[in-house]
Amino acid sequence: MAENEEIRRIIDIVNESKIGMFTTVDKDGTPISRPMTVQQTADDADLWFLTDKDTSVVAELELSNKVNVSFGHGTDWVSVSGTAKTLQDTAKVKELWSQANTAFFPDGPETPGLTLIHVDSDSAEYWETPGGVASVAFRWAKARVTGKQINAGDSHVVEL
């Protein structure tokens, strides 16, 4: 698969999932993950999120800006590694805003403390399982009967 096709596949998996496990590192060096909704996936697979300035994710980004965000949809998964930064930009918030965000930020795009997180994606690894869940179940059963290792799908690493 050509590199731009692989980037497109990464973007598709992210956009199909929408909610990723956003991982940072706390003050003790422990990885911490929490679900976050991606607001936008750029053409280069950079990611945009919304949060409040007083959340643990913002505090942890001040300690280390290296992050990982993983997404899964059906039998496809992607893990995006990158560098995150927080910023206040009402114009960008308005660009990304959807009515669903009102549940978290009832005052709209101008909610006090509303903070953007931009993940500059460095690389991504994605896995695809051809044939879906039924196919994996069949291959698993076959592997159990034959004693041979299961082929659960393909993995690809993409530098972004």
Side-chain angles (χ1 to χ4, degrees):
M1 190 180 298
E3 183 178 328
N4 58 351
E5 290 176 29
E6 289 184 312
I7 293 171
R8 182 79 253 153
R9 187 65 193 123
I10 290 163
I11 292 168
D12 288 346
I13 295 169
V14 170
N15 289 339
E16 289 165 356
S17 176
K18 293 302 278 179
I19 297 175
M21 292 302 292
F22 194 106
T23 304
T24 55
V25 178
D26 73 8
K27 64 181 178 356
D28 298 322
T30 303
I32 306 293
S33 299
R34 80 276 291 150
M36 292 185 73
T37 302
V38 68
Q39 301 298 313
Q40 182 182 66
T41 310
D43 290 340
D44 59 358
D46 280 5
L47 307 171
W48 288 91
F49 298 88
L50 296 176
T51 193
D52 185 271
K53 69 175 178 57
D54 294 325
T55 58
S56 60
V57 68
V58 171
E60 290 157 6
L61 289 175
E62 291 174 5
L63 299 170
S64 173
N65 61 357
K66 296 296 183 186
V67 300
N68 182 273
V69 190
S70 58
F71 298 87
H73 180 66
T75 57
D76 299 330
W77 297 272
V78 65
S79 174
V80 178
S81 296
T83 305
K85 68 177 178 181
T86 60
L87 59 149
Q88 306 287 319
D89 183 341
T90 304
K92 183 66 177 179
V93 170
K94 286 180 180 178
E95 175 189 329
L96 300 176
W97 192 258
S98 73
Q99 214 39 43
N101 292 320
T102 306
F104 299 97
F105 307 103
D107 294 332
E110 295 172 358
T111 298
L114 182 57
T115 300
L116 288 160
I117 298 175
H118 174 248
V119 176
D120 182 5
S121 300
D122 298 325
S123 66
E125 184 165 1
Y126 69 99
W127 296 264
E128 297 178 298
T129 307
V133 175
S135 175
V136 171
F138 173 77
R139 285 182 279 172
W140 177 82
K142 182 179 174 183
R144 296 282 295 159
V145 169
T146 65
K148 295 182 180 178
Q149 185 176 9
I150 185 174
N151 174 2
D154 298 317
S155 171
H156 307 273
V157 176
V158 181
E159 298 301 319
L160 301 168

